[in-house]
């Protein structure tokens, strides 16, 4: 299925390099989620009332949090972005694509083991938290170079032949533009921000690029929504030209990124404040696209149950909740992680749903069975409880980025809220594990089929 009147650029993934690269990036994304999920168990236990007093996990909490966030946000999101870019993109530049993937895979392995090496001092800055340790920084640089090569290829291979006629390819291309600007912001900040002791250096260095990267995630989330709806047989009622215009409007705030870097000293207060305003004023430009996603969701409501449909429903619900909570932030408390957990989990669920659509198109088995059907609801439901618990606790003053006794849970409402957080987090971990199992089952099917084919060819 493709969008009405759209050329079949997203219905069939080009054989050769695009399909092979998409499969490789999907494997990397799934591996990152496995590592992130294992660390998430420690995070949830270290903040759950009762358990936190039995197991002294406070010291491990911060180091685990760093790698958990980087695997689940940086690696998973960028890996699946690469899946989308390969799936809609043209062939060519194989050396660039495979070089980017190899570097990203190596970096992911190094990042995963870095906490077990000496000197892993955690710095819990926003967007890309770090461990002040040589191996971790090495992994981060290798990953940055790998993603840079990947984005360079994406900008070339996803360039739309018709800017107003291929909305999904245009959306993927604009996501690559956002990624390019985010990487440029990271490099620019690294060159110009004076190094100082403490969290503030890393906070400022990742501030501009981190804010910019959110536009990539949001654009690709809508690409996933529309692709899922089309695959389910409910293409957008809007014309390809209209959808393309909405993508262009949503990407307009990205023009402010180079302007902020050129006009204001990097790292100073006006620079930091303008990027915060970019989020506040820029994301409403996504509003029409989000409404289009809501209309697509309404269009699939009467369709039979399917894993991709479940993910679409859960994704929209969590993303909308995260958006509402963003306007309820007052002070530095756990309403902030409630907001970004809702938003980022909305993106994750959209990518999970698109993964279910793409698995058979990449030569893997199709996700089937009750586990695949209920996985998005288990994961999304757990995250919903998790987010609501954080939001409730934030209203009673529970601070963010602390664990154990440092949380100072003295009142019953605080304990109830963080208890909800813990319960929801554990349910979400189960839902994440279900996704991994569904994917591994479908992806191992391809190996089994290939082995069977080889065996048949050998028979006389």
């Amino acid at each position: 299925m493709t969008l009405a009147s759209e050329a079949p650029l997203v219905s069939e993934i080009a054989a050769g390099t695009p399909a092979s690269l998409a499969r490789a990036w999907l494997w990397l994304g799934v591996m990152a989620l496995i590592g992130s999920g294992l660390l998430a168990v420690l995070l949830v236990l270290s903040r759950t009332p009762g358990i936190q007093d039995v197991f002294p996990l406070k010291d491990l909490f911060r180091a685990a949090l760093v790698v958990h966030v980087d695997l689940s946000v940086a690696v998973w999101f960028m890996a699946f972005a690469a899946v989308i870019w390969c799936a809609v993109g043209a062939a060519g530049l194989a050396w660039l694509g495979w070089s980017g993937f190899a570097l990203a895979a190596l970096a992911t392995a190094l990042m995963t083991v870095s906490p077990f090496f000496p000197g892993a001092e955690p710095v819990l800055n926003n967007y890309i938290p770090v461990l002040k340790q040589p191996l971790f920084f090495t992994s981060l640089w290798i990953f940055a170079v790998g993603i840079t090569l990947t984005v360079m290829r994406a900008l070339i291979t996803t360039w739309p032949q018709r800017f107003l006629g291929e909305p999904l390819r245009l959306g993927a291309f604009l996501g690559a533009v956002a990624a390019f600007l985010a990487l440029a912001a990271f490099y620019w900040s690294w060159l110009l921000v004076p190094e100082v002791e403490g969290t503030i250096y890393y906070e400022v260095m990742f501030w501009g690029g981190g804010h910019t990267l959110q536009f990539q995630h949001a654009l690709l989330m809508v690409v996933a929504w529309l692709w899922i709806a089309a695959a389910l047989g409910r293409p957008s009622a809007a014309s390809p030209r209209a959808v393309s215009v909405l993508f262009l409007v949503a990407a307009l705030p990205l023009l402010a990124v180079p302007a902020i870097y050129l006009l204001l000293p990097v790292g100073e207060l006006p620079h930091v404040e303008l990027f915060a305003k970019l989020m506040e004023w820029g994301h409403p430009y996504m509003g029409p696209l989000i409404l289009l996603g809501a209309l697509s969701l309404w269009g699939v409501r009467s369709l039979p149950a399917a894993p991709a449909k479940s993910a679409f429903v859960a994704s929209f619900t969590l993303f909308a909740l995260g958006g509402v909570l963003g306007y309820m932030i007052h002070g530095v408390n756990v309403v902030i992680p409630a907001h970004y957990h809702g938003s980022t989990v909305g993106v994750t669920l959209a990518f999970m749903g698109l993964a279910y659509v793409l698995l058979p198109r990449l030569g893997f088995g199709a996700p089937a069975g009750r586990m695949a059907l209920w996985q998005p609801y288990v994961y999304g439901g757990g995250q919903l409880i998790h987010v609501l618990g954080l939001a409730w606790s934030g209203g009673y003053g529970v601070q963010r980025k602390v664990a154990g006794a440092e949380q100072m849970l003295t009142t019953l409402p605080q304990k109830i809220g963080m208890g909800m957080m813990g319960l929801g987090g554990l349910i979400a971990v189960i839902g994440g594990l279900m996704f991994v199992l569904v994917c591994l089952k479908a992806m191992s099917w391809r190996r089994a089929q290939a082995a069977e084919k080889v065996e048949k060819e050998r028979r006389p």
Side-chain angles (χ1 to χ4, degrees):
M1 288 288 180
T2 59
L3 296 183
S5 305
E6 185 180 350
L9 289 172
V10 298
S11 60
E12 297 298 333
I13 300 170
T17 299
S20 298
L21 270 175
R23 284 193 290 267
W25 281 107
L26 184 57
W27 271 111
L28 180 60
V30 170
M31 293 299 105
L33 287 181
I34 291 175
S36 175
L38 292 174
L39 291 170
V41 175
L42 296 177
L43 296 178
V44 170
L45 293 178
S46 67
R47 303 190 73 179
T48 302
I51 298 178
Q52 67 182 27
D53 300 322
V54 177
F55 300 99
L57 300 173
K58 186 184 73 174
D59 294 336
L60 185 60
F61 171 83
R62 297 181 188 276
L65 179 61
V66 167
V67 181
H68 163 75
V69 170
D70 290 337
L71 289 177
S72 61
V73 178
V75 178
W76 158 249
F77 277 3
M78 296 311 298
F80 201 85
V83 172
I84 294 176
W85 294 328
C86 294
V88 304
L93 298 173
W95 67 272
L96 196 61
W98 285 111
S99 297
F101 169 76
L103 289 172
L106 172 62
T108 302
L110 294 177
M111 185 182 296
T112 303
V113 301
S114 62
F116 301 99
F117 283 75
E121 178 187 346
V123 181
L124 301 181
N125 52 284
N126 283 305
Y127 292 115
I128 302 180
V130 300
L131 297 178
K132 294 178 69 175
Q133 182 229 56
L135 183 60
F136 179 87
F137 285 128
T138 299
S139 72
L140 206 57
W141 272 110
I142 294 174
F143 189 76
V145 174
I147 293 300
T148 300
L149 297 179
T150 300
V151 170
M152 289 171 60
R153 181 180 183 275
L155 289 171
I156 297 170
T157 58
T158 64
W159 181 275
Q161 297 175 353
R162 295 176 296 150
F163 263 73
L164 296 182
E166 305 169 46
L168 297 193
R169 190 165 186 174
L170 175 62
F173 171 75
L174 293 173
V177 171
F180 175 80
L181 291 174
L183 288 167
F186 287 139
Y187 291 132
W188 203 332
S189 295
W190 175 73
L191 288 171
L192 296 181
V193 174
E195 186 167 358
V196 294
E197 290 296 325
T199 306
I200 188 64
Y201 171 73
Y202 299 100
E203 186 77 24
V204 172
M205 191 171 71
F206 291 112
W207 186 259
H211 278 74
T212 307
L213 209 54
Q214 307 316 303
F215 287 90
Q216 173 204 304
H217 302 333
L219 288 165
L220 295 183
M221 177 189 68
V222 177
V223 168
W225 285 351
L226 298 181
W227 200 334
I228 290 170
L232 292 173
R234 293 292 188 271
S236 173
S239 69
R241 180 180 294 270
V243 179
S244 299
V245 169
L246 295 183
F247 271 113
L248 290 170
V249 169
L252 276 177
L254 291 171
L255 296 174
V257 175
I260 295 174
Y261 270 89
L262 288 169
L263 298 176
L264 295 170
V266 179
E268 293 193 3
L269 185 60
H271 179 272
V272 172
E273 289 180 337
L274 269 184
F275 269 106
K277 293 297 183 183
L278 179 62
M279 293 282 283
E280 182 180 346
W281 296 338
H283 278 298
Y285 282 76
M286 288 287 303
L289 269 184
I290 302 300
L291 178 59
L292 186 65
L295 294 175
S296 295
L297 182 61
W298 180 258
V300 304
R301 72 190 187 285
S302 60
L303 296 177
K309 178 185 174 182
S310 302
F312 193 176
V313 172
S315 170
F316 192 90
T317 302
L318 267 295
F319 187 81
L321 176 62
V324 171
L325 290 174
Y327 291 96
M328 299 174 63
I329 295 174
H330 298 287
V332 182
N333 53 53
V334 289
V335 175
I336 297 174
H339 154 66
Y340 70 66
H341 268 88
S343 299
T344 58
V345 168
V347 177
T348 292
L349 281 160
F351 288 175
M352 287 177 171
L354 185 55
Y356 289 153
V357 170
L358 293 180
L359 278 168
R361 301 187 185 194
L362 291 172
F364 297 121
R370 291 188 176 182
M371 181 181 290
L373 185 64
W374 285 100
Q375 177 273 321
Y377 292 134
V378 174
Y379 180 73
Q383 290 287 6
L384 180 63
I385 298 172
H386 183 87
V387 166
L388 291 176
L390 286 171
W392 173 279
S393 300
Y396 286 93
V398 177
Q399 298 300 294
R400 62 184 303 220
K401 297 183 180 178
V402 294
E406 292 180 7
Q407 295 179 107
M408 293 185 294
L409 305 181
T410 57
T411 68
L412 181 59
Q414 288 177 334
K415 294 178 180 180
I416 291 175
M418 296 308 287
M420 288 175 60
M421 180 282 306
L423 174 63
L426 288 173
I427 295 173
V429 168
I430 294 171
L433 176 62
M434 291 168 66
F435 174 75
V436 169
L437 292 175
V438 170
C439 286
L440 291 179
K441 180 180 179 181
M443 295 161 91
S444 64
W445 176 90
R446 181 174 182 270
R447 289 187 175 184
Q449 292 296 103
E452 184 178 337
K453 182 179 179 181
V454 170
E455 183 63 26
K456 288 182 178 179
E457 290 174 350
R458 288 178 178 174
R459 293 172 186 170

